[in-house]
Amino acid sequence: MGAVTLQNIVKRFGSFTAVHPMSLEIPEGAFVSLLGPSGCGKTTTLRMIAGLLDPSEGDIQINGRRINDVPIHKRNLGLVFQNYALFPHRTIAENVAFGLKFRGVDKAERDERVKKALDLVQLPDVGDRYPKQLSGGQQQRIALARAIVIEPDVLLLDEPLSALDANLREDMRVELKRIQHQIGITTVFVTHDQAEALALSDRIVVMSNGRVEQVGAPEDVYTTPATEFVARFLGASNILPSTCTDASGTTVALENSAFGKLVLPRERAPHVTGPGAVKLAVRAEKLSIVAPGAADVTGEDAVSVPGVIETVDYQGLAARYFVRVGDEQLQAINMIDGSPFAEGAAVDVRLRPRDCTILAEAA
Ligand code: ATP
């Protein structure tokens, strides 16, 4: 099993820098996702770890050993890509056994390990079939079995679920987590899907334009985004330009045009050192839309301001409202209790200061 260390790795293609200096510690046994939109450099990073691309600068280590110059077939990695096709003219058992044969493992041990790998992905009886006789989801499980049968130090997965339809994707997500927990293998997972990264990862590395925006546990990056990019990429957020008026005590006082004065607990604004312009982020599901003057039953000092519903995006269980509050249009996602508010309705918009985050980046 392997811990992976990236030390200031850079990847340039001609004059274009796809990955800016990037350092990352991936502890042994961890499931780490590289998350970001198309073109942010996540696949390039994974391909450098895999040995499919040489870094322009920096070192890559597995278990403390520098592997920059170790060729791909000697890195002992398991790879699964979105389109990592199985060999069509070989049986499933032959496909799974391929890496073992390449490593000179004898037939009896090969059969034993193939059987164990097929059991692990819960397809014990398909060894004699051919890939085209399996569904897309089953083929992806076989690709996973083929990757882990060699007992790699690290498993590298590049959007392995993205070719599957939505329901199957969610099933496979659960399956992938079970398998990773069962064998405890260090895993680097590339995805542009926030829900996938939140559900699967021990740590998420959020990337944008070839740079790391934030690294943290799923709950941390979700509830305490460091940058506007992270706040917007992981779910719907409102970003409100605000002015800090006092940061000298255990609370941080600020003002903005939508909510007026707000006093935040210090831990929601750890980076703020003094008065000045800041960016406040609040998740759409943390804004409550209530009838004007409705009693606040939360027992907390929520700030309440009047607004008008401009657009309702009905989602069944919840509704997404676009609400005009002064000069701002805010987004709120609320569970529907009874019927949703109608467009044009006058409402109150409530916000608990502890649900706000002051971003680390300057306003
Ligand atoms: P996607 O999800 O679309 O694969 P990504 O985040 O994985 O996106 P990368 O594939 O890592 O993005 O690409 C990062 C940037 O590097 C992109 O702008 C891409 O066009 C560029 N790039 C990747 N490979 C090459 C290459 N071989 N030559 C030139 N530019 C490249």
Side-chain angles (χ1 to χ4, degrees):
M1 292 295 153
V4 180
T5 306
L6 308 181
Q7 283 175 336
N8 285 314
I9 57 164
V10 173
K11 184 64 194 177
R12 282 185 287 269
F13 296 107
S15 61
F16 174 72
T17 305
V19 177
H20 292 270
M22 174 172 177
S23 294
L24 188 65
E25 290 279 349
I26 301 177
E28 188 175 322
F31 192 116
V32 171
S33 295
L34 306 180
L35 171 69
S38 182
C40 72
K42 52 198 190 296
T43 295
T44 301
T45 304
L46 195 82
R47 291 173 75 85
M48 288 192 276
I49 302 172
L52 293 162
L53 281 175
D54 289 328
S56 310
E57 285 176 31
D59 282 346
I60 302 175
Q61 296 177 355
I62 294 182
N63 286 333
R65 184 167 76 107
R66 185 177 183 275
I67 56 155
N68 290 48
D69 305 318
V70 177
I72 176 166
H73 61 279
K74 292 202 172 142
R75 289 190 186 193
N76 200 33
L77 304 168
L79 293 113
V80 180
F81 294 148
Q82 180 188 338
N83 51 2
Y84 199 61
L86 301 172
F87 304 119
H89 302 299
R90 293 181 197 244
T91 64
I92 297 303
E94 286 166 352
N95 265 282
V96 176
F98 181 78
L100 297 174
K101 211 167 171 182
F102 179 79
R103 285 169 170 75
V105 175
D106 69 45
K107 171 95 171 72
E109 189 182 337
R110 264 187 347 241
D111 290 350
E112 176 68 32
R113 284 168 68 175
V114 168
K115 182 177 175 309
K116 264 171 75 182
L118 291 178
D119 282 348
L120 186 69
V121 297
Q122 295 186 327
L123 288 171
D125 303 319
V126 302
D128 295 332
R129 292 204 218 162
Y130 286 86
K132 67 171 186 301
Q133 296 172 304
L134 300 184
S135 70
Q138 289 171 328
Q139 290 190 36
Q140 229 17 5
R141 287 190 204 199
I142 298 303
L144 192 58
R146 180 171 66 175
I148 58 191
V149 77
I150 59 162
E151 295 175 0
D153 291 325
V154 181
L155 189 58
L156 303 177
L157 308 174
D158 192 352
E159 306 258 9
L161 311 181
S162 58
L164 308 175
D165 69 47
N167 286 341
L168 191 56
R169 261 181 103 122
E170 288 194 12
D171 291 348
M172 277 295 289
R173 195 161 92 188
V174 176
E175 196 53 4
L176 183 57
K177 189 161 188 168
R178 177 187 66 76
I179 292 168
Q180 197 265 344
H181 276 194
Q182 202 165 327
I183 58 177
I185 187 169
T186 310
T187 303
V188 188
F189 179 77
V190 159
T191 184
H192 63 272
D193 183 321
Q194 306 88 313
E196 235 168 64
L198 290 170
L200 283 166
S201 318
D202 298 310
R203 277 158 96 193
I204 299 178
V205 180
V206 187
M207 295 179 69
S208 159
N209 290 325
R211 294 179 201 275
V212 173
E213 292 273 327
Q214 190 171 3
V215 181
E219 211 187 316
D220 292 341
V221 286
Y222 190 79
T223 60
T224 315
T227 64
E228 183 166 345
F229 177 83
V230 176
R232 291 192 192 282
F233 193 70
L234 281 123
S237 287
N238 298 285
I239 310 289
L240 301 171
S242 304
T243 307
C244 173
T245 51
D246 184 9
S248 58
T250 55
T251 55
V252 173
L254 47 97
E255 287 178 12
N256 60 47
S257 67
F259 291 97
K261 289 185 184 356
L262 289 168
V263 178
L264 269 54
R266 183 85 236 181
E267 65 270 20
R268 302 312 297 156
H271 322 282
V272 178
T273 50
V278 294
K279 280 187 195 172
L280 178 145
V282 59
R283 296 238 164 256
E285 67 272 20
K286 296 294 187 186
L287 287 182
S288 301
I289 306 300
V290 297
D296 185 357
V297 291
T298 61
E300 291 190 46
D301 290 334
V303 176
S304 195
V305 292
V308 175
I309 304 276
E310 290 192 329
T311 309
V312 182
D313 177 16
Y314 178 68
Q315 300 175 344
L317 200 59
R320 174 148 62 147
Y321 300 109
F322 292 89
V323 197
R324 172 69 46 191
V325 175
D327 293 341
E328 298 280 348
Q329 192 191 51
L330 305 177
Q331 235 189 109
I333 299 174
N334 284 191
M335 302 296 270
I336 298 172
D337 182 16
S339 331
F341 288 100
E343 285 175 12
V347 293
D348 277 356
V349 181
R350 293 224 167 116
L351 169 67
R352 292 185 308 193
R354 71 175 164 99
D355 290 328
C356 301
T357 303
I358 303 301
L359 301 177
E361 69 195 339

